[in-house]
Amino acid sequence: MKHAIYPGSFDPITNGHLDIIERAVKIFDHVTVAVLSNPQKTPLFSISERVEMIQKAVLKTSSDLTVDQFQGLLVDYAEKINAQVILRGLRAVSDFEFEFQLSLMNRRLNPNIQTVYLMSGSDVTYLSSGLVKEIARLGGDVTDFVPRHVKAKLQERLVDV
Ligand code: PNS
């Protein structure tokens, strides 16, 4: 059984992430979307909010999909859940350097786990959680970039800050 882990900060999930997830479930037997809980970072949304937003966004996607959270090294978590593949999306060339470093380091840490990249869809290639937050914060319309419930959460949260 081919089990892939799709890790990230997902602060918050965007249509770009969903594009990767929707294609991944057609390739792998099981996909675990794993949200990084990093005490060193201050995300806009708490870990449980990020997990919940993803769960809601993937409700109709597939039964072969789990949403979870993790702390510590990604390769350790991947091994713990028996995932053989780390899946990442690749948008523009600017992603390449970081992703190259990440995949080589993860391979060095655990050579049994392979990193696989999916190219983002051309209609979402310019999307990032950071940009979406900035647009929402500045009063722009994010309807085309995130699911409806994420847009509502962004509006609610950004009114508070
Ligand atoms: O969505 P992001 O922020 O680009 O995701 C980055 C992520 C979560 C994949 C990366 O930061 C990660 O794997 N963190 C876990 C800690 C770890 O394993 N660090 C060593 C990476 S070589």
Side-chain angles (χ1 to χ4, degrees):
M1 183 176 116
K2 286 282 168 251
H3 181 182
I5 175 170
Y6 180 44
S9 305
F10 302 105
D11 186 39
I13 186 155
T14 69
N15 291 345
H17 296 125
L18 286 171
D19 165 58
I20 299 290
I21 292 169
E22 275 157 22
R23 285 187 288 134
V25 293
K26 293 181 188 151
I27 301 171
F28 299 99
D29 299 312
H30 194 87
V31 175
T32 296
V33 182
V35 187
L36 174 67
S37 167
N38 183 351
Q40 263 97 55
K41 274 195 181 173
T42 326
L44 181 63
F45 295 105
S46 71
I47 185 76
S48 52
E49 286 175 314
R50 284 179 280 152
V51 167
E52 212 177 293
M53 280 188 276
I54 300 172
Q55 276 167 339
K56 212 165 166 182
V58 299
L59 265 182
K60 293 186 197 128
T61 304
S62 163
S63 52
D64 298 319
L65 186 82
T66 308
V67 185
D68 198 6
Q69 52 176 283
F70 75 104
Q71 272 191 329
L73 281 179
L74 173 61
V75 286
D76 290 346
Y77 174 71
E79 194 167 71
K80 190 178 123 195
I81 63 165
N82 290 319
Q84 310 91 341
V85 170
I86 293 170
L87 177 71
R88 296 279 290 170
L90 210 51
R91 290 166 302 186
V93 179
S94 50
D95 279 345
F96 180 78
E97 211 165 326
F98 174 65
E99 293 300 333
F100 189 53
Q101 197 181 10
L102 197 72
S103 69
L104 291 186
M105 186 54 88
N106 280 329
R107 196 195 300 163
R108 178 72 197 266
L109 293 172
N110 188 335
N112 297 320
I113 299 169
Q114 302 299 326
T115 306
V116 169
Y117 289 92
L118 282 180
M119 301 305 288
S120 293
S122 54
D123 51 337
V124 286
T125 196
Y126 50 84
L127 259 185
S128 73
S129 300
L131 269 186
V132 165
K133 280 184 282 192
E134 184 174 329
I135 294 163
R137 191 176 287 126
L138 298 172
D141 184 8
V142 295
T143 307
D144 290 343
F145 311 141
V146 291
R148 233 187 349 202
H149 65 280
V150 175
K151 179 184 166 185
K153 271 284 226 186
L154 274 165
Q155 283 170 337
E156 181 191 297
R157 180 60 40 92
L158 293 169
V159 164
D160 296 342
V161 289

